[in-house]
Structures are given as C-alpha cells and as structure tokens.
Amino acid sequence: MPTCRACGDRAEQFLDLGRQPLSDAFLRPEEVATEFTYDLTVTCCQGCGMVQLGSEVPRERMFHSEYPFRTASSHRMTQHFRAVADRLVAHSSTADPFVVEVGCNDGTMLRRLAETGVRHLGVDASADAVRDATAAGVQAQCAFFELETARRIAAEHGRADVVYAANTMCHIPYLDSVLAGAAALLTDDGVLVFEDPSWEDVFRLASFDQIYDEHFYLFSATSVSALALRHGFRLVDVEHLDVHGGELRYTLARSGAREPGPAPAAQVARERALGLTDPDVLAGFAERVAAKRTALLDLLRSTRAQGRSVAGYAATAKSATVLNYCGIGPDLIPCVYDTTPEKQGRLTPGTHIPVLPFPDSPDDLPDTFVLFAWNHTAEVLDKESAFRADGGRWIRYVPDVEEV
Ligand code: DWN
C-alpha cells in the first residue's frame, strides 16, 4: 500500500498513466536506446488529501545543468513575474527586504528585484539556468534547496523576509526538509509564498498533462493547509492565478505570526464541495482522462485521413504525458515546433518525434497545429493570428478535445 510522501498516511492510487519517460529529457538520436522510463501513477492521501505521484524519480535525473526549460520562453509569464516581484516588495513588512527564490531558473522574477536594488538570492539546481540568471545581473547559486542549503544561506546572508517559489514546490517530494529550511531561513514575521498548478483546476479541466515526473504534487488548499500545520506554519492566504492552466498562490506564515484572511477557509470549503479527495470522484476523473485519450486519437486519425498535415505547437514538458499515454508518435504528428534552441534537433521523450525550430515561411506551416502549450493560449493565438486567418486549424485537448 503506498504511503503519503507528505504525511505518511495511506495513499490510494486512482490513476495510471503508464510507463513514461522524463518529460524534459529531449533526446539526441544516440540516447534513444538507453532512455529512462518510470511508472506514472497518481495517488491521493486518505489523511491530508495530498495528491501525488506513486513513484519518485531521483531528482538528479530531472534537474541538472542541461535542464532545458527557461521561464522567459513565455512573454506573458515574464510580465507575470515582474508583477510578482513588485508585489513581494510592496507587501514586505520591512523597509530593506531580503527575498530568496527557490527554483529561480533564469532569474526572470529576480531580475526585477536586481533592477530596483532589492536584496535577493536565487537558488536553482540547474547550473545553466543559474548562469543565465547571473548573466542577467541576478545573485544566484546552484543548489537543491533543503534544510542544509537554507541554514547556509541564513549564515552567509542573514534571515529572509520572503522565501518565494513558482512552479517549484510541487517538484520537490521531500517537503519536510524544504519547510524546515524555510523555518530556519525566515525572519519571525517572514512569509513563504509559492504558486503551483492547482489540483482543482487539473480536476475541472481534466488537464492530465499537468501530471508528469517533475510535478510530484498537485497541491490544494486542503493539503497545503495540513502541510503547513505539521511544520509550524499556517496558511494565511490563497489566491487563484490565471497562469499555467490555473494555479494557486499560497502564503504561509509562522503559526501565530499573522492572522489568516478568509480565502484559505473558503478555498478549502470549495474543494470539499467538489469532493476532490473522494475515491468515487477520483475514479470519475480517471474515466474522463481515458475518454480524452480516445477522443484525441480519433480526431488526429481523422485529420490525417483527410490528408491534412499536422505538427505539434511547443515541445512542452506536459506534452510528454499526452503523447506517451495516448501512444501518439511521428505517424500522427511528424514534428513538433519549439522556440527553445536546446530542444531543437532533439527527439521528444518516449515518442521520438523530431523537435524543430518554427519555419521561417508561412508556406511551410502545417494545416493543423496540436496546441501543446494550451496554458499559453492567449499569447500563442495572438502571435499566430496569421496562421488562423490563412485557414490554419488548432487541435486542443484542454478543456475538451476539439478542432477550432
Ligand atoms: O513547472 C514547469 C513549468 C512551469 O514549465 C516545469 N516542470 C517545466 C515547464 O513546463 P512546460 O514545458 O510544460 O512549460 P510551458 O511554459 O507550457 O512550455 C514551455 C515550452 O513551450 C518551451 O519549450 C517553449 C515552448 N513555447 C513555444 O515554442 N512557443 C512556448 C510558447 C509560449 C510559445 O509561444
């Protein structure tokens, strides 16, 4: 029987997405024969309600110098993080705040703090991402954030007023050490703020591609509230964010340091009403995921049968789950276009579809794009308005499988 990685209680499996590759391991042809795979299953803790993967991929396999994702690959996300930086400073209770970002990636958020002279430090496990952050004028160091890292930062730089993480906490199975680290690093009135895909949104949209090796947890206010209490913190605020397909931003303060606002209790009540930890409801989610696989395969096959050319739009980490779970290979999607130089010329994980730079000429675009970057729909459709105007079609699978 699986146990909850967060609290140790019993965890029940409710979804099996099959054998999967590492979502961000874009392969050179010679690496295909030795490709790493693991079983992608999802469980829900019967005690604290934490939704999590049934097995853990060693962190060094996922996060290393060649980690290809860069936050700045989305213009809208870059704007989002500039606003986050301003807000962290505006809401700080001290005049000269020190902000630590866990998983700072290329420093997109911290750049804003660096520009305005705010004391900051980024921590990231990818040496190449840290190099990009440093080149942009950000203070950053390469490390996995855990208790020892936090103690070292506190000794070298002093206590932090804010520990912030975006799309990072859900990547870390060993939250005990991270929460202990936050407790060691934060000032008495300091806050731990993090934003990650929300289980409620994944559930509502059946966006099962949010589930992959790197996304070990799918947080909710219910599970984060329990997590906070076990580590001497309290969830004092929660906000819904309209980014990356729906996220929640959690603010944790030391127990007794700040009064919780009304939002956490309201969000927990919403989650309870939706039955987000109820085994029958979870079984229904698994059925919706299986139905999406059938519908997407049917649509792709009929599109190809009509003689229409198809390509993937953006070699996202998320697309690995869709492609591998559905068994979609180069016969259905001959190539995927992506803006990331580190992914171009490689093969998609598991399904080995070539990743290419976007064509220079509109004449070389396919008849139909499969929108793997659906979480950036507004940005992409804006950028690709000429494709649509010229009769190009989009296949998407979130919220529903459809061609538009
Ligand atoms: O949590 C994570 C999120 C935040 O970022 C990570 N585990 C990894 C990564 O996930 P992803 O790859 O699914 O993220 P995105 O932001 O949905 O997709 C990024 C990829 O899409 C990059 O390879 C760049 C590409 N892209 C593109 O080619 N054209 C993105 C946009 C917006 C575009 O217009």
Side-chain angles (χ1 to χ4, degrees), residues 24 67 69 73-74 167 171 212 214-215 244 313-318 338-340 343 358 375-376 379-380 383:
D24 261 318
Y67 186 65
F69 174 72
S73 63
S74 159
N167 306 303
H171 294 58
Y212 52 94
E214 296 172 11
H215 285 184
H244 278 308
Y313 195 100
T316 60
K318 293 181 290 297
D338 193 281
T339 54
T340 311
K343 295 182 183 178
F358 283 90
N375 47 312
H376 302 300
E379 176 174 345
V380 169
K383 197 160 48 175

mmCIF file of all heavy atoms in Angstrom, residues 24 67 69 73-74 167 171 212 214-215 244 313-318 338-340 343 358 375-376 379-380 383, ligand 1:
data_model
loop_
_atom_site.group_PDB
_atom_site.id
_atom_site.type_symbol
_atom_site.label_atom_id
_atom_site.label_comp_id
_atom_site.label_asym_id
_atom_site.label_seq_id
_atom_site.Cartn_x
_atom_site.Cartn_y
_atom_site.Cartn_z
ATOM 1 N N ASP A 24 11.283 16.257 -19.618
ATOM 2 C CA ASP A 24 12.149 17.288 -20.191
ATOM 3 C C ASP A 24 13.449 16.711 -20.741
ATOM 4 O O ASP A 24 14.399 17.461 -20.990
ATOM 5 C CB ASP A 24 12.461 18.363 -19.135
ATOM 6 C CG ASP A 24 11.572 19.595 -19.306
ATOM 7 O OD1 ASP A 24 11.370 20.005 -20.463
ATOM 8 O OD2 ASP A 24 11.070 20.120 -18.299
ATOM 9 N N TYR A 67 18.982 21.012 -17.943
ATOM 10 C CA TYR A 67 17.527 21.229 -17.832
ATOM 11 C C TYR A 67 17.129 22.310 -18.840
ATOM 12 O O TYR A 67 17.613 23.441 -18.773
ATOM 13 C CB TYR A 67 17.185 21.656 -16.405
ATOM 14 C CG TYR A 67 15.700 21.770 -16.142
ATOM 15 C CD1 TYR A 67 14.894 20.646 -16.197
ATOM 16 C CD2 TYR A 67 15.116 22.990 -15.840
ATOM 17 C CE1 TYR A 67 13.528 20.734 -15.956
ATOM 18 C CE2 TYR A 67 13.757 23.092 -15.593
ATOM 19 C CZ TYR A 67 12.971 21.956 -15.663
ATOM 20 O OH TYR A 67 11.622 22.054 -15.431
ATOM 21 N N PHE A 69 14.153 23.945 -19.764
ATOM 22 C CA PHE A 69 13.080 24.949 -19.666
ATOM 23 C C PHE A 69 13.618 26.285 -19.153
ATOM 24 O O PHE A 69 14.401 26.332 -18.206
ATOM 25 C CB PHE A 69 11.970 24.456 -18.731
ATOM 26 C CG PHE A 69 10.918 25.512 -18.482
ATOM 27 C CD1 PHE A 69 10.020 25.861 -19.473
ATOM 28 C CD2 PHE A 69 10.871 26.186 -17.268
ATOM 29 C CE1 PHE A 69 9.072 26.859 -19.263
ATOM 30 C CE2 PHE A 69 9.931 27.173 -17.048
ATOM 31 C CZ PHE A 69 9.030 27.509 -18.048
ATOM 32 N N SER A 73 10.676 31.877 -21.740
ATOM 33 C CA SER A 73 10.164 31.416 -23.045
ATOM 34 C C SER A 73 8.734 31.904 -23.282
ATOM 35 O O SER A 73 8.244 31.844 -24.410
ATOM 36 C CB SER A 73 10.236 29.888 -23.164
ATOM 37 O OG SER A 73 9.425 29.263 -22.193
ATOM 38 N N SER A 74 8.062 32.374 -22.248
ATOM 39 C CA SER A 74 6.722 32.949 -22.423
ATOM 40 C C SER A 74 6.761 34.427 -22.054
ATOM 41 O O SER A 74 7.152 34.793 -20.942
ATOM 42 C CB SER A 74 5.703 32.232 -21.529
ATOM 43 O OG SER A 74 4.564 33.050 -21.331
ATOM 44 N N ASN A 167 6.242 27.370 -9.408
ATOM 45 C CA ASN A 167 6.373 26.132 -10.179
ATOM 46 C C ASN A 167 7.607 25.344 -9.754
ATOM 47 O O ASN A 167 8.357 24.825 -10.585
ATOM 48 C CB ASN A 167 6.421 26.460 -11.682
ATOM 49 C CG ASN A 167 5.226 27.297 -12.086
ATOM 50 O OD1 ASN A 167 4.093 26.891 -11.880
ATOM 51 N ND2 ASN A 167 5.476 28.496 -12.578
ATOM 52 N N HIS A 171 7.500 20.342 -7.380
ATOM 53 C CA HIS A 171 8.527 19.474 -7.965
ATOM 54 C C HIS A 171 9.346 18.743 -6.891
ATOM 55 O O HIS A 171 10.222 17.946 -7.219
ATOM 56 C CB HIS A 171 9.504 20.310 -8.793
ATOM 57 C CG HIS A 171 8.923 20.956 -10.021
ATOM 58 N ND1 HIS A 171 7.861 21.826 -9.988
ATOM 59 C CD2 HIS A 171 9.268 20.864 -11.334
ATOM 60 C CE1 HIS A 171 7.587 22.236 -11.224
ATOM 61 N NE2 HIS A 171 8.417 21.667 -12.047
ATOM 62 N N TYR A 212 3.273 14.731 -14.463
ATOM 63 C CA TYR A 212 4.485 14.127 -15.042
ATOM 64 C C TYR A 212 5.565 14.107 -13.967
ATOM 65 O O TYR A 212 5.371 14.617 -12.866
ATOM 66 C CB TYR A 212 4.929 14.858 -16.314
ATOM 67 C CG TYR A 212 5.093 16.358 -16.222
ATOM 68 C CD1 TYR A 212 6.348 16.922 -15.938
ATOM 69 C CD2 TYR A 212 4.024 17.227 -16.432
ATOM 70 C CE1 TYR A 212 6.527 18.298 -15.892
ATOM 71 C CE2 TYR A 212 4.196 18.607 -16.378
ATOM 72 C CZ TYR A 212 5.444 19.138 -16.103
ATOM 73 O OH TYR A 212 5.609 20.500 -16.043
ATOM 74 N N GLU A 214 8.143 15.676 -13.067
ATOM 75 C CA GLU A 214 8.562 16.860 -12.303
ATOM 76 C C GLU A 214 7.465 17.354 -11.354
ATOM 77 O O GLU A 214 7.763 17.938 -10.311
ATOM 78 C CB GLU A 214 8.952 17.983 -13.270
ATOM 79 C CG GLU A 214 10.156 17.611 -14.116
ATOM 80 C CD GLU A 214 10.448 18.629 -15.206
ATOM 81 O OE1 GLU A 214 9.865 19.724 -15.201
ATOM 82 O OE2 GLU A 214 11.282 18.305 -16.079
ATOM 83 N N HIS A 215 6.224 17.141 -11.744
ATOM 84 C CA HIS A 215 5.104 17.592 -10.889
ATOM 85 C C HIS A 215 4.747 16.485 -9.909
ATOM 86 O O HIS A 215 3.764 15.772 -10.082
ATOM 87 C CB HIS A 215 3.894 17.963 -11.741
ATOM 88 C CG HIS A 215 4.054 19.278 -12.444
ATOM 89 N ND1 HIS A 215 3.074 19.854 -13.200
ATOM 90 C CD2 HIS A 215 5.097 20.140 -12.482
ATOM 91 C CE1 HIS A 215 3.503 21.017 -13.681
ATOM 92 N NE2 HIS A 215 4.740 21.200 -13.267
ATOM 93 N N HIS A 244 -0.525 29.303 -16.410
ATOM 94 C CA HIS A 244 -0.180 27.873 -16.494
ATOM 95 C C HIS A 244 -1.387 26.962 -16.267
ATOM 96 O O HIS A 244 -1.293 25.943 -15.589
ATOM 97 C CB HIS A 244 0.937 27.528 -15.506
ATOM 98 C CG HIS A 244 2.311 27.872 -16.036
ATOM 99 N ND1 HIS A 244 2.753 27.459 -17.265
ATOM 100 C CD2 HIS A 244 3.325 28.589 -15.487
ATOM 101 C CE1 HIS A 244 3.985 27.919 -17.470
ATOM 102 N NE2 HIS A 244 4.357 28.602 -16.418
ATOM 103 N N TYR A 313 2.546 22.155 -31.542
ATOM 104 C CA TYR A 313 2.953 23.532 -31.233
ATOM 105 C C TYR A 313 3.528 23.553 -29.824
ATOM 106 O O TYR A 313 2.801 23.438 -28.848
ATOM 107 C CB TYR A 313 1.760 24.490 -31.330
ATOM 108 C CG TYR A 313 2.176 25.956 -31.387
ATOM 109 C CD1 TYR A 313 2.219 26.633 -32.599
ATOM 110 C CD2 TYR A 313 2.581 26.628 -30.234
ATOM 111 C CE1 TYR A 313 2.621 27.955 -32.666
ATOM 112 C CE2 TYR A 313 2.998 27.951 -30.296
ATOM 113 C CZ TYR A 313 3.011 28.615 -31.517
ATOM 114 O OH TYR A 313 3.426 29.922 -31.574
ATOM 115 N N ALA A 314 4.843 23.627 -29.711
ATOM 116 C CA ALA A 314 5.614 23.720 -28.462
ATOM 117 C C ALA A 314 5.864 22.337 -27.830
ATOM 118 O O ALA A 314 4.928 21.612 -27.519
ATOM 119 C CB ALA A 314 4.938 24.638 -27.443
ATOM 120 N N ALA A 315 7.132 22.042 -27.680
ATOM 121 C CA ALA A 315 7.555 20.763 -27.071
ATOM 122 C C ALA A 315 7.581 20.937 -25.551
ATOM 123 O O ALA A 315 8.632 20.966 -24.906
ATOM 124 C CB ALA A 315 8.922 20.362 -27.606
ATOM 125 N N THR A 316 6.391 21.063 -24.999
ATOM 126 C CA THR A 316 6.275 21.303 -23.556
ATOM 127 C C THR A 316 6.586 20.024 -22.769
ATOM 128 O O THR A 316 6.440 18.909 -23.291
ATOM 129 C CB THR A 316 4.840 21.751 -23.213
ATOM 130 O OG1 THR A 316 3.941 20.715 -23.617
ATOM 131 C CG2 THR A 316 4.468 23.033 -23.943
ATOM 132 N N ALA A 317 6.955 20.204 -21.514
ATOM 133 C CA ALA A 317 7.129 19.039 -20.632
ATOM 134 C C ALA A 317 5.810 18.287 -20.534
ATOM 135 O O ALA A 317 5.767 17.045 -20.555
ATOM 136 C CB ALA A 317 7.592 19.514 -19.254
ATOM 137 N N LYS A 318 4.720 19.050 -20.443
ATOM 138 C CA LYS A 318 3.389 18.448 -20.328
ATOM 139 C C LYS A 318 3.062 17.503 -21.479
ATOM 140 O O LYS A 318 2.368 16.511 -21.301
ATOM 141 C CB LYS A 318 2.316 19.540 -20.300
ATOM 142 C CG LYS A 318 2.337 20.418 -19.094
ATOM 143 C CD LYS A 318 1.221 21.461 -19.137
ATOM 144 C CE LYS A 318 1.433 22.513 -20.193
ATOM 145 N NZ LYS A 318 2.619 23.361 -20.015
ATOM 146 N N ASP A 338 9.270 24.248 -31.692
ATOM 147 C CA ASP A 338 9.512 24.850 -30.381
ATOM 148 C C ASP A 338 10.583 25.923 -30.509
ATOM 149 O O ASP A 338 11.501 25.825 -31.328
ATOM 150 C CB ASP A 338 9.979 23.775 -29.381
ATOM 151 C CG ASP A 338 9.930 24.271 -27.949
ATOM 152 O OD1 ASP A 338 10.854 25.006 -27.527
ATOM 153 O OD2 ASP A 338 8.954 23.939 -27.242
ATOM 154 N N THR A 339 10.459 26.950 -29.657
ATOM 155 C CA THR A 339 11.389 28.087 -29.720
ATOM 156 C C THR A 339 12.701 27.847 -28.965
ATOM 157 O O THR A 339 13.619 28.661 -29.069
ATOM 158 C CB THR A 339 10.722 29.335 -29.099
ATOM 159 O OG1 THR A 339 10.266 28.997 -27.778
ATOM 160 C CG2 THR A 339 9.550 29.836 -29.938
ATOM 161 N N THR A 340 12.780 26.764 -28.186
ATOM 162 C CA THR A 340 13.953 26.560 -27.319
ATOM 163 C C THR A 340 15.118 25.925 -28.084
ATOM 164 O O THR A 340 15.014 24.763 -28.520
ATOM 165 C CB THR A 340 13.584 25.636 -26.136
ATOM 166 O OG1 THR A 340 12.386 26.115 -25.540
ATOM 167 C CG2 THR A 340 14.707 25.569 -25.118
ATOM 168 N N LYS A 343 16.105 22.348 -27.249
ATOM 169 C CA LYS A 343 15.207 21.240 -27.610
ATOM 170 C C LYS A 343 15.238 20.956 -29.108
ATOM 171 O O LYS A 343 14.946 19.838 -29.540
ATOM 172 C CB LYS A 343 13.762 21.568 -27.175
ATOM 173 C CG LYS A 343 13.590 21.683 -25.662
ATOM 174 C CD LYS A 343 12.124 21.952 -25.283
ATOM 175 C CE LYS A 343 11.975 22.135 -23.777
ATOM 176 N NZ LYS A 343 10.584 22.439 -23.371
ATOM 177 N N PHE A 358 10.533 26.768 -35.406
ATOM 178 C CA PHE A 358 9.381 27.148 -36.226
ATOM 179 C C PHE A 358 9.868 27.568 -37.623
ATOM 180 O O PHE A 358 10.899 28.237 -37.741
ATOM 181 C CB PHE A 358 8.619 28.309 -35.565
ATOM 182 C CG PHE A 358 7.760 27.858 -34.417
ATOM 183 C CD1 PHE A 358 8.268 27.810 -33.135
ATOM 184 C CD2 PHE A 358 6.450 27.465 -34.638
ATOM 185 C CE1 PHE A 358 7.481 27.382 -32.072
ATOM 186 C CE2 PHE A 358 5.650 27.036 -33.588
ATOM 187 C CZ PHE A 358 6.166 26.983 -32.302
ATOM 188 N N ASN A 375 -1.707 26.152 -22.106
ATOM 189 C CA ASN A 375 -1.694 27.067 -20.962
ATOM 190 C C ASN A 375 -1.274 28.483 -21.374
ATOM 191 O O ASN A 375 -1.402 29.414 -20.583
ATOM 192 C CB ASN A 375 -0.750 26.538 -19.876
ATOM 193 C CG ASN A 375 0.596 26.095 -20.420
ATOM 194 O OD1 ASN A 375 0.666 25.363 -21.401
ATOM 195 N ND2 ASN A 375 1.669 26.523 -19.793
ATOM 196 N N HIS A 376 -0.750 28.635 -22.593
ATOM 197 C CA HIS A 376 -0.381 29.964 -23.111
ATOM 198 C C HIS A 376 -1.280 30.323 -24.296
ATOM 199 O O HIS A 376 -0.845 31.040 -25.216
ATOM 200 C CB HIS A 376 1.083 29.969 -23.565
ATOM 201 C CG HIS A 376 2.074 29.614 -22.513
ATOM 202 N ND1 HIS A 376 2.213 30.331 -21.344
ATOM 203 C CD2 HIS A 376 2.978 28.600 -22.431
ATOM 204 C CE1 HIS A 376 3.174 29.782 -20.602
ATOM 205 N NE2 HIS A 376 3.649 28.729 -21.233
ATOM 206 N N GLU A 379 -1.531 34.038 -25.527
ATOM 207 C CA GLU A 379 -0.255 34.514 -26.094
ATOM 208 C C GLU A 379 -0.013 33.876 -27.471
ATOM 209 O O GLU A 379 0.381 34.553 -28.425
ATOM 210 C CB GLU A 379 0.871 34.143 -25.114
ATOM 211 C CG GLU A 379 2.251 34.483 -25.620
ATOM 212 C CD GLU A 379 3.336 34.231 -24.570
ATOM 213 O OE1 GLU A 379 3.018 34.069 -23.379
ATOM 214 O OE2 GLU A 379 4.527 34.205 -24.959
ATOM 215 N N VAL A 380 -0.256 32.577 -27.575
ATOM 216 C CA VAL A 380 0.022 31.860 -28.823
ATOM 217 C C VAL A 380 -0.938 32.308 -29.926
ATOM 218 O O VAL A 380 -0.516 32.609 -31.052
ATOM 219 C CB VAL A 380 -0.070 30.334 -28.595
ATOM 220 C CG1 VAL A 380 -0.048 29.590 -29.931
ATOM 221 C CG2 VAL A 380 1.065 29.852 -27.695
ATOM 222 N N LYS A 383 0.001 35.610 -31.237
ATOM 223 C CA LYS A 383 1.216 35.543 -32.063
ATOM 224 C C LYS A 383 0.937 34.895 -33.418
ATOM 225 O O LYS A 383 1.563 35.227 -34.412
ATOM 226 C CB LYS A 383 2.246 34.715 -31.281
ATOM 227 C CG LYS A 383 3.656 34.841 -31.733
ATOM 228 C CD LYS A 383 4.678 34.412 -30.692
ATOM 229 C CE LYS A 383 4.433 33.089 -30.010
ATOM 230 N NZ LYS A 383 5.514 32.697 -29.104
HETATM 231 O O1 DWN B 1 6.549 23.510 -13.977
HETATM 232 C C1 DWN B 1 7.069 23.613 -15.058
HETATM 233 C C2 DWN B 1 6.571 24.647 -15.995
HETATM 234 C C3 DWN B 1 6.291 25.958 -15.360
HETATM 235 O O2 DWN B 1 7.453 24.850 -17.076
HETATM 236 C C4 DWN B 1 8.192 22.759 -15.464
HETATM 237 N N1 DWN B 1 8.119 21.482 -14.830
HETATM 238 C C5 DWN B 1 8.579 22.693 -16.884
HETATM 239 C C6 DWN B 1 7.875 23.686 -17.774
HETATM 240 O O3 DWN B 1 6.741 23.008 -18.276
HETATM 241 P P1 DWN B 1 6.309 23.153 -19.809
HETATM 242 O O4 DWN B 1 7.467 22.841 -20.693
HETATM 243 O O5 DWN B 1 5.086 22.343 -19.987
HETATM 244 O O6 DWN B 1 6.046 24.728 -19.819
HETATM 245 P P2 DWN B 1 5.320 25.700 -20.838
HETATM 246 O O7 DWN B 1 5.600 27.061 -20.379
HETATM 247 O O8 DWN B 1 3.910 25.326 -21.027
HETATM 248 O O9 DWN B 1 6.029 25.432 -22.247
HETATM 249 C C7 DWN B 1 7.335 25.853 -22.473
HETATM 250 C C8 DWN B 1 7.792 25.337 -23.827
HETATM 251 O O10 DWN B 1 6.943 25.816 -24.864
HETATM 252 C C9 DWN B 1 9.200 25.796 -24.159
HETATM 253 O O11 DWN B 1 9.895 24.704 -24.771
HETATM 254 C C10 DWN B 1 8.992 26.912 -25.161
HETATM 255 C C11 DWN B 1 7.713 26.491 -25.839
HETATM 256 N N2 DWN B 1 6.939 27.602 -26.392
HETATM 257 C C12 DWN B 1 6.959 27.849 -27.765
HETATM 258 O O12 DWN B 1 7.647 27.122 -28.515
HETATM 259 N N3 DWN B 1 6.248 28.904 -28.231
HETATM 260 C C13 DWN B 1 6.197 28.382 -25.549
HETATM 261 C C14 DWN B 1 5.461 29.439 -26.033
HETATM 262 C C15 DWN B 1 4.647 30.316 -25.122
HETATM 263 C C16 DWN B 1 5.486 29.713 -27.447
HETATM 264 O O13 DWN B 1 4.850 30.653 -27.946
#
